[in-house]
Amino acid sequence: DFGQLRRRYGVADADAYDRLFESGRRAGKCCGEASTLYLADREALTKLVDAHPDVRVVVLVRDPARIAVSFYQQMRLMGFEPRSFGEAWAAISRWPADVPASFPDALLADYVHVASLATQLRRASTVVDRSRLLAVLFDDLVDDPGGTLERVGAFLGVAVTGAADLPHENTAREPRSGLAGVLRSSRVRRPLQRVAARVPESALSPVRTLRDRLLFQPTTVEVSDDEMQAVRRAMAPVVRDLGVEMELDLIERWGYAS
């Protein structure tokens, strides 16, 4: 749920959330939405099921160690995380103390919690009937995007075409200047969203591409081998429990056995 984070981006209530899908509905598209935080939040999935009892939920499962690093990178991109990875990781043991004031919610700085997929998936299965919950390995999506998306489409009851031709592109970015932060603020973002909802998708796509090129640049997170090993040691019990939940040997698959 992360109310402060939602309000920051102009999604303060259910009506504002619903308006995000206006352009897609007008175009006759099947609309969906994804977030890396729905399972990490303790209320979001329950609220979703309360509002839509027949909802189908797809959980993309990635190596928790990589999630921790990736989410740190996302917090850097959003301008919340001012610390190096080593500093941020060491501070988790003192959480919620020492969370920088730039975070709209202290939980966003707990990278262990965000990456604890085993607990999250277990909790999700108590909220959503297993027949309406599909866990998909991120590795499968990367290795076989066409086949994996066809499987997801079958689960959702949606025909998937052209999935095999999807580009492999997921470049992390960081703001080139403070202007990116201004455009992300709710004061600017809300009116832009209202305008965008009235513009055909075909016209929006090139505008988004130009925006991204002007405002963002590729970014990489410097994580030393020692830091990565520390993350993997912390995440090993999570990987083991996650494998039990999914009935897969994820310890072996993700190289935690060595």
Side-chain angles (χ1 to χ4, degrees):
D1 190 41
F2 294 99
Q4 294 182 36
L5 186 62
R6 285 190 293 102
R7 286 189 290 274
R8 184 187 182 101
Y9 291 101
V11 189
D13 53 37
D15 290 338
Y17 176 78
D18 192 58
R19 286 195 294 272
L20 298 176
F21 302 92
E22 286 180 1
S23 60
R25 283 195 295 263
R26 284 203 313 273
K29 295 181 177 180
C30 180
C31 298
E33 186 257 333
S35 170
T36 55
L37 292 173
Y38 283 152
L39 292 189
D41 184 87
R42 293 181 176 88
E43 299 179 4
L45 192 56
T46 299
K47 290 181 178 180
L48 179 62
V49 173
D50 287 344
H52 303 282
D54 296 328
V55 68
R56 287 181 174 268
V57 177
V58 179
V59 180
L60 190 60
V61 176
R62 190 181 185 186
D63 180 348
R66 294 186 178 276
I67 289 177
V69 174
S70 179
F71 194 72
Y72 163 84
Q73 184 168 273
Q74 180 69 11
M75 294 299 96
R76 293 278 295 184
L77 165 66
M78 298 177 77
F80 301 154
E81 177 59 86
R83 302 166 296 183
S84 70
F85 181 78
E87 292 169 338
W89 186 257
I92 292 174
S93 62
R94 303 186 297 275
W95 188 92
D98 299 333
V99 173
S102 50
F103 279 89
D105 191 305
L107 198 60
L108 297 173
D110 187 351
Y111 302 120
V112 171
H113 171 78
V114 171
S116 294
L117 285 183
T119 300
Q120 297 169 18
L121 190 59
R122 193 178 302 120
R123 184 169 63 239
S125 66
T126 68
V127 177
V128 182
D129 186 85
R130 276 288 188 178
S131 64
R132 292 184 284 108
L133 180 66
L134 176 67
V136 176
L137 284 180
F138 177 80
D139 314 45
D140 292 342
L141 184 61
V142 172
D143 296 339
D144 181 18
T148 303
L149 289 177
E150 286 176 4
R151 177 185 167 208
V152 172
F155 170 74
L156 297 175
V158 176
V160 176
T161 58
D165 300 322
L166 289 175
H168 287 67
E169 183 176 339
N170 184 24
T171 303
R173 304 164 301 164
E174 64 181 356
R176 290 185 185 274
S177 70
L179 180 59
V182 172
L183 292 178
R184 286 172 176 269
S185 68
S186 60
R187 182 177 299 177
V188 175
R189 192 181 181 94
R190 288 178 188 177
L192 289 179
Q193 286 176 336
R194 286 195 287 269
V195 172
R198 293 171 171 78
V199 178
E201 182 64 28
S202 58
L204 283 177
S205 182
V207 173
R208 291 193 183 108
T209 300
L210 178 61
R211 174 204 63 189
D212 290 349
R213 288 179 178 175
L214 290 175
L215 297 179
F216 297 97
Q217 60 190 0
T219 182
T220 56
V221 175
E222 296 298 329
V223 179
S224 70
D225 291 342
D226 287 345
E227 288 171 341
M228 196 65 211
Q229 287 303 314
V231 175
R232 287 174 64 84
R233 284 194 297 272
M235 292 291 105
V238 175
V239 173
R240 188 175 296 107
D241 291 346
L242 186 59
V244 172
E245 287 294 314
M246 298 187 67
E247 299 181 351
L248 295 171
D249 186 358
L250 297 180
I251 288 287
E252 180 66 30
R253 179 162 186 158
W254 288 334
Y256 281 78
S258 57

